[in-house]
Amino acid sequence: MSALKQRKSVKGKDPGLESRKPEAPEDPSTRTPAGDWTWWMVPWTAAGATVAVALGLLSCIYVATLHENDLWFSNIKEVEREISFRTECGLYYSYYKQMLRAPSIQEGLLQLIQDNVTESKRTINILQRMNIYQEVFLSILYRLLPVQEYLEPIYFYIYTVFALQAVYVIALYITSWLLSDSWLAGALAAVWYIINRVDTTRVEFTISLRENWSLPFFALQVASITYYLRPQLKPLPQKVALWLTFLSTLWFCLTWQFNQFILLIQALVVFALDCLDFIEPRKVTLLYLVQVCSLLLVWLLQFCNTMILGSLALSFIISVLFVKHFQTKLKTGGLMVRMGKLCVHVLLVLVMTFTINYLTKKVLQLSSDEHIYKFIKAKLGLGLTRDFDAKLYLCEEAFGLLPLDTFERLTTTLVLYPYLCALAILLVVLVAISLVHLSGSGCSGAQSEGVEHRIHMRPDVAYNLLHTVLFGLLALSTMRMKYLWTGHMCMFAAYGVCGRELWGICLGALRCNTQTKLRIVRYAAPSLLLAFLYFKFWPKIKEEVSELREFYDPDTVELMTWISSKTPSTAVFAGSMQLLAGIKLCTGRALTNHPHYEDRALRERTQQVYQIYARRAPEDVHRALRAAGADYVILEDSICYERRHGRGCRLRDLLDVANGHGHTTQCKQCASSTNEELWRQPQ
């Protein structure tokens, strides 16, 4: 690559020009992979590794302490502990509990493969439908390890999730270290992640959410890709990095059902960098193959889950590889010729992607993820919709735009300023170098004779730049996706504070870019910033972890106790998705519906069950409930007299709109209910 190759110095060059391209400081922390190691590099690297582990453990202990202090988890009853797993968290944890209660591992797996409790009147394969291999693996591990005498199953579970937070922080630390060649950047990234906890993680109160399992592996994957794309990397480290990328991608895909959309964004990043000549074609192809192999292996492990075959990510990668194979002269010609070829290339890839995806879904009759595309269509304003599922997502705050107070908090911790500065400068550099590449440098990056670049950008930096841009746009559009962005923001901002390239550009613009000044700035800036953050936020963290609360939900505890003691073990319950997940966990009773929404038949049944809150005749509601096999239905006054959403976004309003009854409604079935009640359905 032209912007990445080391060029020989030429006699007679302008000394001002040379000053803009200083040699790397002699400090070992700033050496490139091809640089020679010195005796000082061993203790320096050991110190950096020690700090990484220490900050990872600190983040783990921090969220574990917050979880304990917020619920007094160690002192409450088992049923209260289980109730604290709200909504879909309770559903996922119930399978871990189910595996442990099974007579054997084989029997437990068989119960999951032939499950008739999660959805009444249906036998489904939980391992195919949901991403719960982490619960299966953890339950087997708990059975095999000698920890049962002194560690309860629920603690084994939550401590594992909290330990993954340490992995997450260490992965961010390593990525920032790799980009800046200074572990001070890693320390700054980890500290920013910890003090911005409100915006970087929600693991302390949503332990079982799939993202809390998958994002640590996603961060490891980004770190592996960053290392793999480093210039002058020898063949053996490249192979190791590629295998690490594959393993982390596999675990990420296996633990989260939204993996296909995240990999699609990553594939778009790689595609853009390939078109702009920032990554070698061989590395691009191998990264694509890693993604394809990971998706196909997950497809096999999930018993040939057709949703994966119908993913846009798989269709896009196949299209890119196919078009690249036949469009061999894409990277030849001048600027206008290259731009024209690039437009045709992008158009061909997009057309082929949507064609393959459409045909795949038609052949396999896929409709599991259609609610996501309906939601995206409605969110983009592409026509009005009366669709219940799309409006259900649109009315949730988590799927709305990123609130402005997020930026206020990020500004308070000083992470937003260096992030935006680094982003602006590097985007300008990226555009400038891209124009040079497209002007005739070709895929090899060779320049015309007598031309010398004043700036350059490594492929690992370019990858993380586009990564943070695309995931930033995703976070701005959908608040729930901000956790994919804010952690990477902390890492990228730390690189902006410590990076050689950025400070070289800034000092070069001031005409004072010397090796000594560059070294001083790169180490003084993060050190001062770390000191400031410590004195400002450490007292707040100590105050936060000293606050003691207690779990208190007597109504739900009474409900679960009543169900366990007063209803048959074969009883089937209908109600809201969120509450039913807790019923399955605490009582083991069968459900009509649940929060895992990636199935069309389940979505249709959920809408039918929710007719208890709509303006429908009692006979119609009763018929729908009996068709779902319900014996009991739970009515919640929090839904009947909902105040959390405004008019038009209340559940009863959404149902009436979907039923063609307009926007105004009354919850007649709940009119006489001031508390949560149980109704026995007649046979």
Side-chain angles (χ1 to χ4, degrees):
M1 309 299 294
S2 61
L4 306 172
K5 288 184 176 179
Q6 298 293 329
R7 293 182 174 79
K8 297 179 180 179
S9 59
V10 181
K11 292 183 179 180
K13 288 289 181 183
D14 180 8
L17 177 61
E18 295 299 326
S19 66
R20 298 187 189 101
K21 293 182 58 183
E23 297 178 1
E26 288 298 322
D27 191 281
S29 67
T30 63
R31 288 189 182 273
T32 63
D36 295 328
W37 281 52
T38 63
W39 66 271
W40 176 246
M41 202 164 191
V42 175
W44 179 260
T45 304
T50 303
V51 173
V53 173
L55 288 172
L57 291 175
L58 176 63
S59 67
C60 171
I61 296 170
Y62 180 38
V63 293
T65 304
L66 290 176
H67 175 262
E68 167 63 27
N69 291 353
D70 191 51
L71 301 174
W72 201 6
F73 199 75
S74 60
N75 196 61
I76 57 179
K77 296 182 292 186
E78 185 69 15
V79 64
E80 292 176 312
R81 292 176 178 176
E82 292 179 348
I83 291 172
S84 70
F85 288 88
R86 300 289 187 180
T87 65
E88 59 187 292
C89 297
L91 181 66
Y92 298 133
Y93 181 77
S94 71
Y95 298 117
Y96 170 75
K97 178 181 177 182
Q98 181 178 325
M99 280 289 295
L100 289 177
R101 288 191 170 185
S104 64
I105 295 174
Q106 293 80 1
E107 183 66 24
L109 291 173
L110 185 62
Q111 291 176 4
L112 293 178
I113 295 172
Q114 299 177 357
D115 181 276
N116 53 13
V117 176
T118 303
E119 295 179 19
S120 58
K121 287 191 171 183
R122 295 174 184 168
T123 299
I124 62 175
N125 186 341
I126 300 297
L127 293 178
Q128 180 188 55
R129 178 79 70 82
M130 305 181 194
N131 298 71
I132 63 159
Y133 268 99
Q134 50 268 50
E135 277 76 21
V136 172
F137 174 76
L138 213 59
S139 64
I140 295 174
L141 204 60
Y142 184 79
R143 284 174 178 266
L144 299 179
L145 293 178
V147 297
Q148 300 177 21
E149 294 183 1
Y150 55 88
L151 193 62
E152 298 174 58
I154 196 168
Y155 276 105
F156 186 71
Y157 186 92
I158 65 174
Y159 286 165
T160 301
V161 179
F162 292 148
L164 284 176
Q165 282 297 297
V167 175
Y168 194 177
V169 170
I170 292 173
L172 294 176
Y173 184 107
I174 292 173
T175 307
S176 193
W177 187 353
L178 289 171
L179 289 177
S180 63
D181 289 322
S182 171
W183 59 259
L184 286 175
L188 189 56
V191 169
W192 264 329
Y193 180 89
I194 293 171
I195 64 177
N196 285 285
R197 175 189 57 80
V198 174
D199 296 301
T200 55
T201 184
R202 49 180 176 168
V203 66
E204 72 275 11
F205 60 90
T206 59
I207 293 175
S208 301
L209 274 189
R210 304 298 84 180
E211 66 189 49
N212 294 329
W213 286 94
S214 62
L215 289 186
F217 296 110
F218 184 62
L220 282 175
Q221 184 227 38
V222 173
S224 302
I225 293 176
T226 301
Y227 184 68
Y228 178 66
L229 294 179
R230 297 197 85 184
Q232 304 176 15
L233 199 62
K234 295 180 180 179
L236 180 59
Q238 281 191 27
K239 291 179 181 179
V240 173
L242 197 62
W243 273 104
L244 289 175
T245 302
F246 168 71
L247 293 175
S248 54
T249 305
L250 175 63
W251 277 102
F252 164 70
C253 293
L254 199 60
T255 52
W256 199 13
Q257 67 268 28
F258 294 140
N259 56 67
Q260 54 171 304
F261 303 103
I262 309 305
L263 290 188
L264 175 62
I265 296 177
Q266 274 198 325
L268 288 172
V269 172
V270 175
F271 176 71
L273 294 176
D274 180 32
C275 292
L276 299 176
D277 297 345
F278 279 91
I279 306 179
E280 300 172 18
R282 182 185 63 85
K283 287 188 174 183
V284 170
T285 302
L286 289 175
L287 287 176
Y288 283 145
L289 292 177
V290 162
Q291 290 188 328
V292 170
C293 292
S294 299
L295 286 172
L296 292 180
L297 190 52
V298 171
W299 172 70
L300 288 174
L301 289 171
Q302 289 196 275
F303 294 81
C304 303
N305 187 336
T306 52
M307 186 175 172
I308 296 175
L309 293 183
S311 66
L312 270 176
L314 201 56
S315 301
F316 177 78
I317 295 172
I318 292 173
S319 301
V320 171
L321 294 175
F322 182 84
V323 173
K324 276 187 65 177
H325 179 73
F326 289 98
Q327 205 172 4
T328 55
K329 296 184 179 181
L330 175 66
K331 300 181 179 181
T332 58
L335 177 60
M336 298 308 297
V337 175
R338 286 286 301 275
M339 292 287 287
K341 290 182 177 180
L342 190 58
C343 291
V344 173
H345 180 67
V346 172
L347 184 61
L348 286 174
V349 169
L350 291 179
V351 170
M352 190 171 180
T353 297
F354 289 113
T355 301
I356 293 176
N357 192 256
Y358 175 79
L359 293 176
T360 302
K361 290 186 174 180
K362 280 295 181 181
V363 171
L364 299 177
Q365 297 181 343
L366 295 179
S367 56
S368 299
D369 57 355
E370 66 178 5
H371 64 298
I372 299 175
Y373 297 106
K374 288 179 180 178
F375 161 70
I376 294 173
K377 181 181 177 181
K379 191 174 182 65
L380 295 176
L382 303 177
L384 298 176
T385 180
R386 299 177 72 91
D387 184 77
F388 173 75
D389 300 319
K391 294 181 75 67
L392 189 65
Y393 280 113
L394 287 172
C395 287
E396 286 297 324
E397 182 183 4
F399 293 94
L401 299 176
L402 190 65
L404 293 178
D405 60 353
T406 304
F407 300 102
E408 295 178 7
R409 292 191 296 270
L410 295 173
T411 301
T412 303
T413 58
L414 302 182
V415 68
L416 192 60
Y417 297 123
Y419 174 77
L420 293 178
C421 289
L423 195 64
I425 294 172
L426 289 177
L427 281 175
V428 172
V429 173
L430 181 74
V431 171
I433 296 176
S434 299
L435 290 175
V436 172
H437 288 176
L438 295 176
S439 296
S441 60
C443 61
S444 65
Q447 299 181 60
S448 57
E449 187 176 353
V451 178
E452 181 76 27
H453 285 324
R454 299 186 179 188
I455 53 177
H456 69 280
M457 180 177 288
R458 305 195 318 261
D460 53 339
V461 174
Y463 170 82
N464 280 277
L465 173 62
L466 290 189
H467 179 105
T468 196
V469 168
L470 292 188
F471 281 99
L473 294 175
L474 179 65
L476 292 174
S477 65
T478 308
M479 186 184 75
R480 185 177 178 180
M481 296 295 131
K482 74 175 181 178
Y483 301 103
L484 286 161
W485 177 51
T486 47
H488 195 268
M489 173 197 286
C490 296
M491 182 282 302
F492 199 79
Y495 161 68
V497 173
C498 304
R500 266 203 314 265
E501 295 86 356
L502 286 168
W503 283 115
I505 292 172
C506 295
L507 294 176
L510 298 174
R511 298 184 179 277
C512 59
N513 188 8
T514 63
Q515 196 175 93
T516 302
K517 292 178 180 177
L518 183 63
R519 185 185 300 117
I520 291 174
V521 171
R522 288 186 62 237
Y523 288 96
S527 300
L528 292 174
L529 196 50
L530 284 169
F532 172 79
L533 294 174
Y534 174 80
F535 286 110
K536 182 175 182 179
F537 292 100
W538 182 246
K540 294 182 180 180
I541 291 177
K542 289 197 296 184
E543 180 182 355
E544 187 179 20
V545 297
S546 65
E547 294 179 3
L548 302 178
R549 300 182 181 90
E550 183 179 358
F551 176 87
Y552 184 74
D553 191 355
D555 293 338
T556 307
V557 172
E558 183 181 4
L559 172 65
M560 299 303 174
T561 304
W562 185 90
I563 292 174
S564 298
S565 59
K566 301 296 183 180
T567 65
S569 59
T570 57
V572 178
F573 282 80
S576 68
M577 296 182 289
Q578 296 81 0
L579 184 60
L580 290 184
I583 288 175
K584 184 183 184 307
L585 170 60
C586 298
T587 70
R589 300 301 190 267
L591 315 175
T592 57
N593 53 301
H594 54 81
H596 195 274
Y597 222 46
E598 276 62 53
D599 181 74
R600 182 177 181 177
L602 175 66
R603 293 194 295 270
E604 292 174 350
R605 176 184 277 192
T606 298
Q607 187 173 350
Q608 290 303 309
V609 170
Y610 279 2
Q611 297 302 316
I612 59 178
Y613 298 110
R615 290 190 293 178
R616 295 288 298 274
E619 296 81 6
D620 295 339
V621 175
H622 177 267
R623 191 179 303 113
L625 291 172
R626 294 307 300 157
D631 298 318
Y632 295 83
V633 59
I634 302 177
L635 299 178
E636 301 171 61
D637 58 355
S638 60
I639 298 178
C640 292
Y641 307 110
E642 186 175 359
R643 295 292 182 268
R644 187 168 66 93
H645 294 112
R647 183 177 294 273
C649 266
R650 297 170 300 186
L651 179 60
R652 57 185 188 269
D653 298 336
L654 300 181
L655 289 164
D656 288 339
V657 170
N659 294 336
H661 296 158
H663 295 277
T664 309
T665 183
Q666 294 180 354
C667 190
K668 294 184 179 180
Q669 285 94 333
C670 302
S672 62
S673 174
T674 56
N675 296 296
E676 190 175 75
E677 299 180 9
L678 289 171
W679 293 76
R680 180 77 166 116
Q681 294 298 313
Q683 298 298 327

